[in-house]
Amino acid sequence: MAKVPQDIQENIKKLSEKMDVPVKDLMARMKEIMAEDKTITGDSEKDKEFKIRFAWGVLYNEYSSRGNAVDCYIMPINTPRANERKIKGEMTWVGDCTALVQTLKKDDDGNVEKSDVMYGQGVFWRDGAKNLNKMEKGKVYKAQLIVNESKSGWGVSITTDRGSFTPVKDVKMDWEKFFKEEVKSQDIQITLGELDLNKSEDNTDIRLVRVTVSDANVAESQKGNTYGYYTVMDDSIIGSNYRFFVSPDDVCWRVGSILYFGGTIEINDDTGEPTFRVQFIHPTEMAMPAEYNVKETATPDDAIDLDEEEAKQAEETEEEETEEKPKKEEKPKKKDDGGELFDI
C-alpha cells in the first residue's frame, strides 16, 4: 500500500470541492484507473509514485470536461452499450445510452435548480463511452454531460467524451411513471407494418410498437462478440416477423410475452428498408421474465455494433456540441478529508 503524494492530496480536495464529488469517490476512481493501467509495471518507488500520478492525470482529465457541460442526474433505462470501433482510421471507444435525465443548474443566489426529468439519448465518445460499461440500468448517477434540446421538440440529446458517472443513492427516478405519463401519452404508437412510413428526424423522435415475442436469445458471433435479440410480430405482419437487436442484458423476457419497444427508425436510401433501433423495452402486464444462455451463431457482427453511418453522423456533430467551455461555480470549502482516504 502506498500513500498519495501530498501535492496530489491537496489537488484532489480542491477537485472534490469544485465538482461537489466526495473525496472517497475520487479515490475509488483513481484506484480503478491504476488497476486498469497495464503500461506502468515497475516495482520501484519511482514507478509506484508515477502510477499514482498517472492515475491523477487521467482522473483530472475526466472531470475537466469541456463544452457546455452541466451537472446532471442520469438513470439508464436500457443497458448502456460501448465498444471500440475504427473511426477515421483510429480505434475509438463509442457507445450509446438512453436514460432519464435531470439537469442541475445554479441560480444567481447559488441555489441548485433541478429541471424536470427528461428523456435523453445520445452517442458517447472515448472515456465517456468507456465508462458507460460501468453503469447499470435503473440506477441513478451524477455526471457532467453536454445536454441539448432535440430538434424534434421532445427529449434531449446527451453526450460526453470524458468524465465519470458517480453513483447516487439518495436520488430516485420513476421510469414506470415517466413511461405512462410522458411516453404512452404521445401519439407515437405504430405497427410493425408502418415502420417504413415513420422515419425519425433525430435520436429522440421515437416510435413505440406493441409486439409479441416469437423468439429471443443471447448469442456469440463468429468474431466472439456477444449480442442479444428478440424476434417479434404483430397482426400487421402476420406470416412474417421482425428482429430487434439489443444488449444481452436486456434479453430477459420469455417467448409469448407482449412488450413495448421504443426507438428510432432509419430508412435505407437504396432499398427503402426500415431499421428500428431499440432504445428501451417496457413490459406489458402480459410478460414473463426469463434467463438466456449464450449460444453460438453465425449472425454478422453488425448486429451488435453501432452502425458506422450513425457513428459518422455523431462524430460530425460532436464538435458543434462542445464548443464553449463551462463556467464553474465556486463552492464552499469542506473539512479536511485526510486519514486513510489517501492510502492507495
Side-chain angles (χ1 to χ4, degrees), residues 94-344:
V94 186
D96 71 314
C97 179
T98 306
L100 298 186
V101 179
Q102 186 175 43
T103 60
L104 310 171
K105 296 182 180 180
K106 286 192 173 182
D107 60 21
D108 294 338
D109 296 324
N111 300 311
V112 175
E113 293 181 338
K114 297 180 181 179
S115 72
D116 292 335
V117 175
M118 302 172 287
Y119 183 91
Q121 209 284 333
V123 178
F124 289 62
W125 296 89
R126 303 174 185 86
D127 286 341
K130 190 175 182 180
N131 289 332
L132 285 179
N133 287 330
K134 300 173 183 177
M135 301 175 74
E136 295 183 33
K137 177 174 62 177
K139 291 190 176 182
V140 179
Y141 301 81
K142 188 175 182 181
Q144 280 202 331
L145 303 177
I146 297 163
V147 180
N148 289 315
E149 293 184 5
S150 296
K151 297 176 183 178
S152 57
W154 184 81
V156 291
S157 65
I158 53 176
T159 187
T160 184
D161 64 355
R162 61 189 72 181
S164 299
F165 301 92
T166 305
V168 179
K169 296 182 179 179
D170 58 348
V171 177
K172 304 295 181 184
M173 292 186 181
D174 193 336
W175 167 230
E176 292 290 330
K177 180 180 179 182
F178 189 93
F179 178 78
K180 180 180 179 180
E181 296 181 358
E182 302 292 338
V183 177
K184 282 195 69 179
S185 63
Q186 299 187 76
D187 185 22
I188 58 173
Q189 186 167 330
I190 62 173
T191 66
L192 292 174
E194 297 172 320
L195 292 181
D196 61 342
L197 304 175
N198 284 271
K199 180 179 179 180
S200 299
E201 295 299 321
D202 59 30
N203 61 336
T204 61
D205 185 22
I206 63 172
R207 297 294 183 271
L208 194 66
V209 294
R210 187 176 186 270
V211 296
T212 297
V213 177
S214 58
D215 188 23
N217 224 316
V218 175
E220 185 176 281
S221 70
Q222 291 178 331
K223 290 185 180 180
N225 294 320
T226 304
Y227 63 94
Y229 67 84
Y230 288 96
T231 303
V232 301
M233 53 78 64
D234 65 13
D235 59 9
S236 71
I237 59 165
I238 292 294
S240 61
N241 55 42
Y242 200 90
R243 179 164 287 189
F244 292 147
F245 291 101
V246 299
S247 166
D249 292 335
D250 291 335
V251 184
C252 54
W253 300 104
R254 190 179 300 277
V255 170
S257 295
I258 300 176
L259 306 174
Y260 286 108
F261 284 81
T264 55
I265 302 171
E266 298 174 6
I267 307 296
N268 187 296
D269 292 333
D270 296 325
T271 65
E273 290 296 314
T275 298
F276 190 97
R277 297 195 177 279
V278 177
Q279 293 185 0
F280 65 83
I281 304 167
H282 193 284
T284 68
E285 292 182 357
M286 193 55 64
M288 183 174 291
E291 294 184 3
Y292 294 85
N293 296 318
V294 177
K295 72 173 185 178
E296 293 183 359
T297 182
T299 302
D301 283 82
D302 58 6
I304 58 168
D305 287 338
L306 283 172
D307 181 80
E308 290 186 3
E309 183 62 26
E310 179 186 29
K312 179 181 177 183
Q313 293 174 356
E315 188 174 45
E316 291 173 352
T317 61
E318 179 191 16
E319 292 185 2
E320 297 177 7
E321 296 175 337
T322 59
E323 288 180 351
E324 298 180 3
K325 293 184 178 180
K327 295 180 180 179
K328 297 178 180 178
E329 300 286 347
E330 293 292 337
K331 296 181 176 65
K333 292 185 177 181
K334 299 179 180 179
K335 293 182 179 179
D336 192 340
D337 284 289
E340 297 179 354
L341 270 178
F342 294 105
D343 289 337
I344 200 164

Side-chain angles (χ1 to χ4, degrees), residues 7-64:
D7 61 318
I8 296 180
Q9 289 187 34
E10 295 303 319
N11 284 328
I12 289 175
K13 294 173 188 176
K14 292 177 182 178
L15 184 65
S16 171
E17 294 172 3
K18 207 73 173 174
M19 297 300 180
D20 196 23
V21 177
V23 169
K24 63 180 181 63
D25 291 337
L26 297 178
M27 287 300 301
R29 176 59 186 143
M30 276 190 67
K31 290 176 182 177
E32 286 183 354
I33 295 168
M34 291 176 67
E36 293 167 356
D37 175 56
K38 306 300 181 185
T39 62
I40 306 172
T41 58
D43 290 327
S44 70
E45 291 303 315
K46 182 177 179 180
D47 289 329
K48 292 178 181 178
E49 179 175 338
F50 194 81
K51 196 173 185 74
I52 294 172
R53 292 189 178 278
F54 168 81
W56 161 244
V58 174
L59 177 75
Y60 184 80
N61 189 56
E62 289 182 351
Y63 277 92
S64 59

